[in-house]
Amino acid sequence: MTVGSLVFSVLILLLFALLMLWNCSKRPKSDLSRECCLQNMNALRGLFAFEIVVGHVIRWDKTILYPLGKFMICSVAFFFFVSALGMVISFEKKKDYLSFRFILSKPVYLFALSIVIFIISMTVDAIFPGDLAYLTPPLIHTYLVKTNWYIWRLIIFYLLFFLVYKYIPRFRVLIIFAVSLLMDIFFYQTGFIEGWYASSIGFAAGLLCGEYFPKIKALFYSWKGILILLVSSIFGFTSLFVSTENVLSMVFMRNSICVAAIIVVFYVCNYFSLCDNFISRCLCKYSTEIYLVQFMWLRVSESYGWNYMIRMVFVVIMTFATALIFHPIVVGIRKILK
């Protein structure tokens, strides 16, 4: 590793730390309510989205940023967690939350976004050099295969939440966890990519936190919570030393490290008021767009053969610029469906 690469990587890590804690005040742990926890975590959505962008750029480069490429599964689990926590709160506070409007504003909304993103991706493939993956016929098959897996996984979670919370009054979190786990094992055994099953525990964890927040908070601040953090961390990191991939290392161990990461974020949200950070709030506004549009610029940058420093600057700038342009479209689709 050259000196320039080392300095660049350190600056990126410092920038993430600065963006997370800038203008954040400390808070007493007893002050955190469930709604305040959701607000704090929402403030981190943009930063976690950019962590995924950086992780995608450097995942094959053996730099000190390389762990971010592995941490991406934890970032995705964080998104699942926040989505589930928010839906539980809305379910309890909003009358008729699980009406037909829920289907329009969640699964149908994501389906509409997937079509728009696919069209934009085809346009980018037609303009810039690359593998032209999105222009490969038949387009319907390409659309289903190339559309980011996260959209399809989230649609499944939304539909599962709707069915269970609308029609089953008891053991809802347990049912969704069990169904998710069975799906994870199925996805792994049938050859789906890692994203489909490595982070899904985040959704059930968000439901659990939303339903039993006072008990979860008390648990995390007891010795049992520290023990859960240590065990899940050790069990998760053990996957790095498993030479042969199997369902234990790819499903259970990777989800275990996601649990540890969520607990750490929970602790941070207890000790700091992250909503005071203007930069985080601004990035949060565009987190969905940042996550969805990054892939087209990743493909473009890969086609030019740049090193990871040039690629990272290019992808981050172009992703954020495209997210700004794409944001009104996202807002418009949501308004129409509501």
Side-chain angles (χ1 to χ4, degrees), residues 13 16 38 66 88 93 105 116 130 135 142 156 176 178-179 191 197 206 219 261 272 276 279 298 338:
L13 294 175
F16 269 118
L38 178 61
Y66 179 69
V88 169
K93 291 192 172 185
S105 63
V116 174
L135 295 174
T142 303
I156 292 173
I176 291 178
V179 173
Y197 44 78
L219 173 65
F272 296 95
D276 299 333
I279 299 176
L298 286 165
K338 282 189 176 182

Side-chain angles (χ1 to χ4, degrees), residues 253-267:
M253 288 182 172
R254 277 163 171 73
N255 274 286
S256 178
I257 197 62
C258 290
V259 170
I262 290 172
I263 294 175
V264 171
V265 174
F266 187 90
Y267 284 140

Side-chain angles (χ1 to χ4, degrees), residues 2 4-5 8-9 56-61 63 65 298 300-315:
T2 64
S5 177
F8 179 85
S9 299
H56 277 134
V57 172
I58 52 85
R59 54 185 166 173
W60 310 122
D61 295 279
T63 68
L65 292 175
L298 286 165
V300 170
S301 65
E302 286 173 353
S303 67
Y304 286 105
W306 297 326
N307 67 34
Y308 82 97
M309 291 183 284
I310 297 176
R311 287 188 62 219
M312 188 182 302
V313 174
F314 172 81
V315 173

